[in-house]
Structures are given as C-alpha cells and as structure tokens.
Amino acid sequence: MTQRVELATVLDRLAVDGLVTEYAVAVDDGDWEAYQGLFTADGRADYRSAGGIEGDAGQVAAWLARTMRLFPVRQHLIVNRRVRFGVLEQDVGDTARVQADYVNPMRFAAEDGGPSEPDFVCGGRYAFAFLRTDEGWRLREMVVQEKWRRAPHGQEAAD
C-alpha cells in the first residue's frame, strides 16, 4: 500500500468510527433530527431484538422519541469496534461494516418526569453498514442484537 492509500484508509476509519459515536450521542441526547441525518435517504434501522421496530430512519426516530421518554437518563457505551471496508464484491472502497458491542445503562422516569431508581441496563452488539455519499459517510443499515438485559426488581433476561 502506498502512504496515500494508507492515509485515506485511516481517514475513512476515523470518519466511520465518528459516526458510530454520533449515533450514540444522538440517541442518548434525544436528538432525533441528528439521528436521521446519520442515515442515507433509504437507510434503515432494526431494533426488533430489543423489543422495538424495524423501519426507515424517520419511522424509527419517531418510535425512539416516544419510547425513550421512559428513560430520561441514558448513556451508550460502544466498544470493541471492528471495521471492515469494501465488503461488497463490486465495492471500490465506498462501503464499510462495523460490528461493535454495547452496554446501555438507562434510568426510568419518575412520576415527576425526572430519573428514578433502579437502573435498566442492556447489552449486545450493533451491526452498522455504511455507504460513502456525496455528503460523506452515512448509515445505510443498523441492526441491534440485544444479548442481555437487567431490568428492575432483579428481573433478568438473556438471549
């Protein structure tokens, strides 16, 4: 590889990794406009394994806006990011896939609207598919694979 190709790969990796972080921040902050802006026009998200929906970014953002009201405090921790470029056979470097593990602690809303005890915590793996567009890298697909959760009152669930 030439230095120019290596530098381009590093820059692409930083851009894609940055979008994963922007995804977490948008969800945690409830910025549904920013969330939708991370996706391509035909981008889709799938939260079914976590009890949610699958649909285009607008549909899913509306669902998240309603659902996340239950959790006024939330904080994604996304780790172990595995980035792969050009995963399609005809690709020329304009696609990427990221597999990343997550832990997501949240607090339920109290009757006064603020956070309450106890916490709800879940964890699993994200599968992100990215496409390079004229506006830069964007999410084409995001799938959540929830593997476990710890719910209030000691109720635990796992895959």
Side-chain angles (χ1 to χ4, degrees):
M1 256 189 209
T2 67
Q3 285 184 331
R4 184 173 293 171
V5 171
E6 289 172 359
L7 177 59
T9 301
V10 169
L11 292 173
D12 284 339
R13 182 181 175 92
L14 288 171
V16 166
D17 190 68
L19 279 172
V20 171
T21 299
E22 291 300 321
Y23 163 81
V25 170
V27 172
D28 291 347
D29 291 351
D31 188 343
W32 309 120
E33 186 176 327
Y35 176 91
Q36 290 180 70
L38 298 172
F39 288 83
T40 60
D42 62 347
R44 301 190 68 75
D46 184 346
Y47 290 85
R48 291 178 293 181
S49 77
I53 68 166
E54 187 274 336
D56 66 45
Q59 293 168 322
V60 173
W63 172 79
L64 284 167
R66 289 188 308 274
T67 303
M68 291 297 113
R69 283 189 220 133
L70 296 171
F71 306 101
V73 176
R74 48 195 181 264
Q75 182 180 30
H76 277 76
L77 304 171
I78 302 178
V79 299
N80 300 334
R81 300 174 192 203
R82 181 184 300 157
V83 179
R84 300 286 187 257
F85 289 101
V87 295
L88 301 176
E89 288 181 22
Q90 73 277 12
D91 184 77
V92 293
D94 291 332
T95 65
R97 291 203 178 266
V98 176
Q99 179 180 326
D101 296 328
Y102 72 89
V103 175
N104 187 12
M106 299 182 280
R107 281 263 163 109
F108 281 104
E111 288 184 25
D112 65 4
S116 73
E117 298 280 345
D119 294 340
F120 174 94
V121 184
C122 59
R125 182 165 287 159
Y126 285 113
F128 297 99
F130 294 93
L131 179 67
R132 186 193 316 267
T133 71
D134 291 339
E135 294 80 36
W137 287 96
R138 295 291 182 268
L139 272 167
R140 184 173 51 193
E141 179 183 62
M142 191 280 304
V143 177
V144 173
Q145 182 57 52
E146 185 177 276
K147 294 184 175 188
W148 62 271
R149 68 173 55 177
R150 186 178 68 232
H153 312 300
Q155 300 170 351
E156 294 199 21
D159 253 359

